Amino acid sequence: MRGQAERTVGRTVERTAARVVRFGDPSAIALAHETLHAPRGNEVLVRVTHAALGSTDVLARRGGYVLQPLPGFVPGYDFVGVLETESAVSAALGLRTGARVAGVLPRMGAHTTRLVVSPTFLVAVPDALTSEAAAALPLNGVTAALALQYAGDARSVLIQGITGAVGSLAAQLALRDGRTVLGTGTTPPPGLTAPDVTLVDYRDPRWPASVRSQTAGGVDAAIDHTGSPLVREAVAPSGVIVRTAFAGRPGHERDDAVRGSAAAAMRRFGHPREIVCSVPFWVLRKRPEYRRMLRGLFADMAAGRLTVFEPEVMAFDTVWAAHRAADARPAGRTIVLGM
């Protein structure tokens, strides 16, 4: 896949990118050999080696993602790669040519062999981590950490989908902070055991009442990726609900997400109040804070204090099979494209 597709020619860069040429099943992905501009100003060139393929990419490919309303885009928010050029800004950040870097983009585009990007979105990958494992962390880790930050000083936290990639990281971070953790799910997430968290069976329509009975009136905070109104019944009136996503009905995901976001915004001062956690917008606006957060998450992972799902690496030129695997939502695993 490399070679001709990854050369720098004059003032341009050649690459191969996975583009969504229409909305639909994995056949909607096309590998396109493209030319893009070489780095300008303080931009840098990154040779992407690994990029995560998650539920947001699947939703975007199907046409249900609010931030990608039209086909023609390259999916992928987070990646690991090697810095091929540097600039004054990258040097000031301690990132020099040849460094292994990772990042979260404020807009999709990581499923490609090369990126021209601002170094303000990049951090160094610790030597103790493989690139495959590191690629499973950035977007999921920042989402989990930011959601807990929005939860404030809540001592009890309900995590919707605690067995998912974001939920398991949020649970680990919350437990590290000394919080009481409850989660909807039927089995503990990898790395955690039943004594660590209290599991609530989401298949029981009365599960919010179960949460209230176990927490003397409701949890202080909930982290939710479904948009379900039932979550409000599990949270104390003085608490907060952090909405990281809105699942939506099949075929209506985009409209449901817009309505869910609007409803959450109207409840910002409600009882309980709601906050929408939009990682792409936050990364764009809070770059120094984002970099500190991601560096800390990588440090925790390198030290064994944080565990990500085992990466299932699939070759970039089998991207259609990778999307089919992501469609199946493999339990306890994260799909990672290897370039």
Side-chain angles (χ1 to χ4, degrees):
M1 189 59 66
R2 294 177 188 157
Q4 181 179 355
E6 290 196 350
R7 293 179 300 171
T8 302
V9 181
R11 300 182 64 82
T12 62
V13 174
E14 294 183 18
R15 71 174 188 176
T16 300
R19 286 197 176 273
V20 176
V21 296
R22 57 178 172 77
F23 292 136
D25 62 25
S27 67
I29 299 290
L31 287 181
H33 302 285
E34 304 176 342
T35 299
L36 67 161
H37 71 82
R40 302 167 182 162
N42 277 305
E43 294 176 330
V44 293
L45 179 64
V46 176
R47 176 171 59 82
V48 178
T49 62
H50 297 84
L53 197 171
S55 58
T56 303
D57 303 305
V58 169
L59 182 63
R61 186 204 74 220
R62 293 173 176 168
Y65 187 46
V66 173
L67 299 183
Q68 292 293 356
L70 300 173
F73 61 93
V74 177
Y77 272 119
D78 50 346
F79 61 93
V80 171
V82 176
L83 201 60
E84 291 198 320
T85 67
E86 61 184 74
S87 65
V89 171
S90 70
L93 294 172
L95 304 175
R96 311 305 295 256
T97 301
R100 200 162 50 124
V101 295
V104 177
L105 300 175
R107 190 167 177 80
M108 284 184 162
H111 292 176
T112 180
T113 53
R114 276 184 168 179
L115 277 174
V116 173
V117 64
S118 168
T120 57
F121 297 118
L122 305 176
V123 302
V125 176
D127 293 339
L129 298 178
T130 66
S131 295
E132 294 90 337
L137 176 72
L139 180 61
N140 291 333
V142 170
T143 301
L146 183 59
L148 284 171
Q149 181 173 300
Y150 285 152
D153 59 359
R155 302 315 303 164
S156 58
V157 180
L158 169 70
I159 300 173
Q160 278 274 63
I162 197 169
T163 56
V166 172
S168 66
L169 289 169
Q172 293 174 65
L173 293 171
L175 289 169
R176 186 191 63 184
D177 292 343
R179 305 179 196 242
T180 299
V181 176
L182 298 87
T184 56
T186 55
T187 58
L192 298 176
T193 59
D196 296 320
V197 300
T198 299
L199 293 178
V200 180
D201 191 343
Y202 61 89
R203 296 170 299 185
D204 182 352
R206 298 168 299 176
W207 70 261
S210 174
V211 172
R212 289 198 307 272
S213 68
Q214 295 180 69
T215 55
V219 291
D220 299 324
I223 297 173
D224 172 62
H225 70 285
T226 69
S228 171
L230 286 176
V231 180
R232 295 185 62 83
E233 299 177 21
V235 180
S238 59
V240 58
I241 301 168
V242 182
R243 306 280 193 184
T244 61
F246 298 86
R249 298 163 295 163
H252 301 273
E253 293 94 345
R254 187 186 301 162
D255 291 342
D256 288 350
V258 170
R259 282 192 289 267
S261 297
M266 293 179 65
R267 299 189 184 108
R268 186 171 182 83
F269 302 103
H271 302 282
R273 61 192 179 93
E274 296 193 21
I275 297 174
V276 176
C277 177
S278 176
V279 170
F281 290 136
W282 183 79
V283 166
L284 181 63
R285 293 183 293 108
K286 303 286 187 179
R287 300 186 204 186
E289 188 176 349
Y290 143 73
R291 292 196 304 273
R292 285 193 297 271
M293 179 180 285
L294 185 53
R295 281 196 298 265
L297 291 166
F298 272 133
D300 284 342
M301 185 176 169
R305 295 187 295 267
L306 194 62
T307 302
V308 300
F309 282 178
E310 180 181 357
E312 181 176 351
V313 182
M314 304 186 71
F316 190 38
D317 56 8
T318 65
V319 64
W320 305 276
H323 269 264
R324 286 193 293 271
D327 278 341
R329 295 173 179 250
R333 302 182 74 86
T334 295
I335 303 299
V336 170
L337 295 172
M339 311 305 182

